[in-house]
């Protein structure tokens, strides 16, 4: 009996310890401000325009109404290229940086790993008072995509991937089905161009950098420092587009920057671009023709769109205020509004599955599950961004100068690409 009693006492002690271990002591960072007692201003650099900016402004005003001591100063930097340039310039004098900014993680590799200019938001996300209680509802792949060197510096927000926009009226007029493969895309474009007597171009790709990286991934080639731009896969990928440019059934954005403009003017029947451009496509087609949205004609697709990052120059109060705003931006209510009105994919699974989203005016919504099935990110490694930008420059050179020999031109760029990866 004594042995049994001793055993029960030991067993009870073990159970108590196990019970305690399942509720670890709070690891909250004591330096984190948990309450905003005085007025604080958070500056936010972004590159949202049109319906995207309208939606961002509406969501932000809602946050400020609920948090009267926090002012969010939205500062539009025009477009991504300008935003990146301004961030790079301000990093030379960190006090000139905003509290938070939209950015691709590749832009901030040096800021995070060398200059220590970013705030790791993981302690905020998992804080017992401030944290995101339903963090598992946020797409893990998108969260991981906002990490730099393994740390959660970014919060996914305006995320997207590419889709095919098409003019339903024109495709019906020329007897063309919506293409589902790159070969079908080429044939459909040829048919449209020929039947319209050269008046309507078949298709174009908004982003040449995306065209190259997605095409190479489709061919089984990773975008990293081992990339051989003179390989058969690279040559064939560029020749596919260059042949279409030569014969007239393909085009690039050029000075238009995005093809939603020519698409709205019915100068082009199809356009492959970001799902986030749907608001521009909708506006351009309104009262003229009916547009449709289909999957990009490829097996894989690129995870794109920026995240939100916080700079370490922010005061403790600004950091908390900024995090509360970021938390608001990825809330279910905000994401439903954002995704429905802009075309960006919702970062929350619950919104993706929400009936209100599926029945919204967005034609992207019914495709979202299929469109995001085989997403891949560009590697967040040193010099991947300049190498990515160079790939677009190379493709553009060969499409603008359509009579250049692809293989020979790529040989000429080989050393520059290698130096870019190893700078």
């Amino acid at each position: 009996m004594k042995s049994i009693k001793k055993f029960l006492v030991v067993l009870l002690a073990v159970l108590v310890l196990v019970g305690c271990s399942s509720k670890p002591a709070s690891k909250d960072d004591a330096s984190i401000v948990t309450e905003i007692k005085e007025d604080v201003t958070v500056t936010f650099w972004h590159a949202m325009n049109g319906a995207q900016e309208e939606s961002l402004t509406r969501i932000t005003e809602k946050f400020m109404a609920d948090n009267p001591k926090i002012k969010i100063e939205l500062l539009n930097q025009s477009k991504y290229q300008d935003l990146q340039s301004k961030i790079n310039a301000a990093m030379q004098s960190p006090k000139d940086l905003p509290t938070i900014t939209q950015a691709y993680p590749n832009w901030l590799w040096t800021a995070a790993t060398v200059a220590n200019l970013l705030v790791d938001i993981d302690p905020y996300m998992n804080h017992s008072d401030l944290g995101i209680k339903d963090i598992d509802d946020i797409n893990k792949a998108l969260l991981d995509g906002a990490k730099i060197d393994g740390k959660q510096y970014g919060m996914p927000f305006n995320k997207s991937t590419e889709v095919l926009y098409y003019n339903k009226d024109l495709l019906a007029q020329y007897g063309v089905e919506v293409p589902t493969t790159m070969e079908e895309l080429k044939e459909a474009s040829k048919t449209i161009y020929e039947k319209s007597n050269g008046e309507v171009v078949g298709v174009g790709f908004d982003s040449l950098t995306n065209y190259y990286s997605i095409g190479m991934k489709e061919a089984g080639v990773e975008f990293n420092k081992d990339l051989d731009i003179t390989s058969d896969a690279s040559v064939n990928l560029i020749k596919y587009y260059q042949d279409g440019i030569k014969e007239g059934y393909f085009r690039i954005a050029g000075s238009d920057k995005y093809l939603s403009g020519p698409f709205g003017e019915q100068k082009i029947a199809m356009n492959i671009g970001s799902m986030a451009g749907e608001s521009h496509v909708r506006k351009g087609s309104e009262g003229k023709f009916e547009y449709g949205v289909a999957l990009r004609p490829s097996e894989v697709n690129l995870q794109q769109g920026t995240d939100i990052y916080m700079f370490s120059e922010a005061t403790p109060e600004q950091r908390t205020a900024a995090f509360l705003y970021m938390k608001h931006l990825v809330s279910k209510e905000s994401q439903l509004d954002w995704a429905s009105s802009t075309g960006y994919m919702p970062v929350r699974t619950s919104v993706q599955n929400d009936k209100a989203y599926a029945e919204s005016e967005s034609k992207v919504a019914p495709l979202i599950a299929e469109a995001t099935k085989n997403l891949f990110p560009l590697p967040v490694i040193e010099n991947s961004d300049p190498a990515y930008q160079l790939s677009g420059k190379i493709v553009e050179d060969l499409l603008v100068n359509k009579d250049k020999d692809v293989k020979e031109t790529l040989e000429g760029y080989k050393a520059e690409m290698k130096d870019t990866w190893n700078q």
Side-chain angles (χ1 to χ4, degrees):
M1 287 296 293
K2 288 182 179 179
S3 297
I4 293 175
K5 287 180 180 178
K6 287 181 180 179
F7 171 76
L8 291 174
V9 169
V10 172
L11 178 60
L12 179 60
V14 170
L15 291 174
V16 169
L17 288 174
V18 170
C20 290
S21 66
S22 67
K23 297 179 181 179
S26 173
K27 295 181 180 179
D28 291 347
D29 187 336
S31 68
I32 293 178
V33 172
T34 58
E35 184 181 0
I36 303 298
K37 298 178 180 180
E38 303 292 336
D39 291 349
V40 61
T41 297
V42 171
T43 53
F44 180 21
W45 286 0
H46 70 90
M48 300 289 92
N49 296 285
Q52 299 166 355
E53 186 172 25
E54 291 172 9
S55 179
L56 178 62
T57 300
R58 181 173 61 252
I59 292 170
T60 301
E61 289 175 346
K62 171 67 166 59
F63 172 79
M64 290 191 292
D66 293 341
N67 298 271
K69 291 188 180 298
I70 302 175
K71 178 184 178 182
I72 306 297
E73 192 173 359
L74 297 175
L75 300 173
N76 191 321
Q77 306 304 317
S78 182
K79 55 183 182 291
Y80 282 149
Q81 184 178 0
D82 294 339
L83 174 59
Q84 183 181 15
S85 296
K86 190 162 183 179
I87 292 171
N88 289 339
M91 283 195 294
Q92 307 308 310
S93 178
K95 63 180 179 57
D96 296 328
L97 287 165
T99 316
I100 55 176
T101 187
Q102 283 182 309
Y104 283 93
N106 288 341
W107 294 1
L108 300 174
W109 172 264
T110 300
T113 62
V114 179
N116 196 31
L117 289 176
L118 299 182
V119 175
D120 181 353
I121 63 172
D122 187 75
Y124 290 85
M125 292 171 61
N126 292 291
H127 194 278
S128 58
D129 294 327
L130 305 176
I132 302 175
K133 307 303 182 187
D134 54 352
I135 191 71
D136 290 343
D137 188 37
I138 298 179
N139 186 299
K140 187 178 185 303
L142 299 182
L143 273 173
D144 289 345
K147 289 181 178 179
I148 303 176
D149 200 27
K151 291 186 177 181
Q152 193 71 57
Y153 288 113
M155 178 78 79
F157 173 54
N158 54 307
K159 308 304 292 184
S160 65
T161 193
E162 291 194 332
V163 293
L164 171 69
Y165 297 106
Y166 61 95
N167 184 318
K168 286 189 174 183
D169 298 350
L170 286 178
L171 264 61
Q173 181 179 341
Y174 298 119
V176 171
E177 297 291 325
V178 179
T180 60
T181 66
M182 293 295 277
E183 185 60 31
E184 288 179 2
L185 183 70
K186 180 174 73 174
E187 293 306 316
S189 296
K190 282 183 177 181
T191 299
I192 291 167
Y193 186 70
E194 291 167 2
K195 287 188 174 182
S196 68
N197 296 316
E199 292 294 317
V200 182
V201 174
V203 76
F205 294 77
D206 269 340
S207 172
L208 299 183
T209 46
N210 285 1
Y211 173 78
Y212 187 78
S213 60
I214 295 172
M216 292 300 281
K217 181 72 172 181
E218 189 92 329
V221 180
E222 298 295 328
F223 193 90
N224 55 36
K225 61 176 55 182
D226 295 325
L227 174 73
D228 179 6
I229 62 171
T230 65
S231 67
D232 288 345
S234 183
V235 171
N236 292 337
L237 177 63
I238 297 176
K239 276 185 62 62
Y240 170 90
Y241 207 154
Q242 189 190 62
D243 289 345
I245 295 289
K246 285 180 180 179
E247 296 182 35
Y249 56 85
F250 285 169
R251 66 158 287 180
I252 61 174
S255 60
D256 294 309
K257 302 199 181 297
Y258 296 102
L259 288 164
S260 54
F263 182 78
E265 295 166 0
Q266 303 194 73
K267 294 179 179 178
I268 186 168
M270 296 176 286
N271 169 29
I272 292 180
S274 170
M275 60 173 58
E278 184 183 10
S279 59
H280 299 289
V281 170
R282 184 188 303 125
K283 184 177 180 180
S285 63
E286 194 171 4
K288 302 176 187 176
F289 61 89
E290 184 180 359
Y291 77 92
V293 183
L295 299 176
R296 189 186 195 279
S298 55
E299 291 296 320
V300 298
N301 212 340
L302 181 65
Q303 178 193 133
Q304 59 186 79
T306 60
D307 311 299
I308 301 178
Y309 296 85
M310 189 189 309
F311 289 106
S312 55
E313 284 292 308
T315 66
E317 290 74 20
Q318 285 177 317
R319 294 185 185 196
T320 293
F323 174 74
L324 291 174
Y325 174 59
M326 293 160 71
K327 178 181 173 180
H328 172 75
L329 291 178
V330 298
S331 68
K332 183 174 181 179
E333 179 185 3
S334 296
Q335 281 295 299
L336 179 57
D337 183 345
W338 179 249
S340 300
S341 60
T342 66
Y344 278 109
M345 71 171 75
V347 302
R348 283 183 173 271
T349 303
S350 59
V351 177
Q352 180 177 316
N353 297 330
D354 195 287
K355 183 179 179 181
Y357 173 57
E359 296 177 352
S360 69
E361 65 177 337
S362 172
K363 295 185 179 182
V364 167
L367 302 174
I368 196 72
E370 192 69 21
T372 58
K373 184 182 292 184
N374 294 314
L375 291 183
F376 73 98
L378 286 175
V380 186
I381 54 179
E382 187 175 18
N383 297 321
S384 61
D385 182 62
Y388 175 66
Q389 300 303 329
L390 177 57
S391 71
K393 171 188 168 186
I394 294 169
V395 175
E396 183 176 28
D397 181 14
L398 284 160
L399 299 185
V400 171
N401 302 291
K402 58 187 178 183
D403 294 323
K404 277 189 173 184
D405 182 84
V406 174
K407 180 72 172 178
E408 183 180 320
T409 302
L410 291 178
E411 289 288 352
Y413 275 111
K414 190 171 185 177
E416 184 179 353
M417 179 61 81
K418 182 178 180 180
D419 291 343
T420 299
W421 274 111
N422 297 312
Q423 64 183 325

